[in-house]
Amino acid sequence: MDDPDDLRALGSKLDEIHRLREQKKALPPPTTGEITFRFATEMVVAAIVGGAMGWLLDRWLGTRPLFLIVLCLLGVVVGIRNVIAAAKEINARMLAAQDKKES
């Protein structure tokens, strides 16, 4: 039969390993450079993709520059929405890192 002290020691070791794995999974808080790059990328890529799609539609349908303007503006709106979602995600990461630091 196993000794209860050995089982407790094994349980403690397993708990420590589990805690270390959880710490590795948690992302560190983002730096200001990471935040700036992410926001700029979200905005620029959405506007470029919308503009490119509009340009292609205008070229295909011969309706210059109707779709270019409309889809570029739509891309900007999507970019703003993506920046808001990214800001919420970054705030959650920073809050989790702050909570972990306090505990």
Side-chain angles (χ1 to χ4, degrees):
M1 190 130 95
D2 289 329
D3 186 23
D5 291 333
D6 290 340
L7 290 176
R8 283 190 196 99
L10 179 61
S12 296
K13 287 180 184 178
L14 289 173
D15 289 341
E16 181 67 21
I17 290 170
H18 180 67
R19 188 180 60 78
L20 289 173
R21 279 190 180 171
E22 289 299 318
Q23 284 179 346
K24 285 182 182 179
K25 286 182 186 178
L27 296 172
T31 64
T32 55
E34 290 172 343
I35 294 170
T36 304
F37 183 75
R38 172 115 186 241
F39 287 174
T41 303
E42 296 282 354
M43 283 296 297
V44 171
V45 168
I48 289 174
V49 168
M53 288 172 49
W55 180 76
L56 288 171
L57 274 173
D58 281 334
R59 205 161 168 204
W60 183 52
L61 297 173
T63 57
R64 296 196 196 269
L66 175 67
F67 288 108
L68 174 67
I69 293 170
V70 170
L71 290 181
C72 192
L73 289 174
L74 183 63
V76 169
V77 169
V78 169
I80 291 170
R81 196 186 114 244
N82 289 346
V83 166
I84 291 170
K88 288 179 182 178
E89 177 188 325
I90 288 170
N91 283 338
R93 276 179 58 190
M94 292 178 83
L95 192 62
Q98 184 180 18
D99 287 345
K100 187 186 339 175
K101 189 187 290 186
E102 290 176 357
S103 58

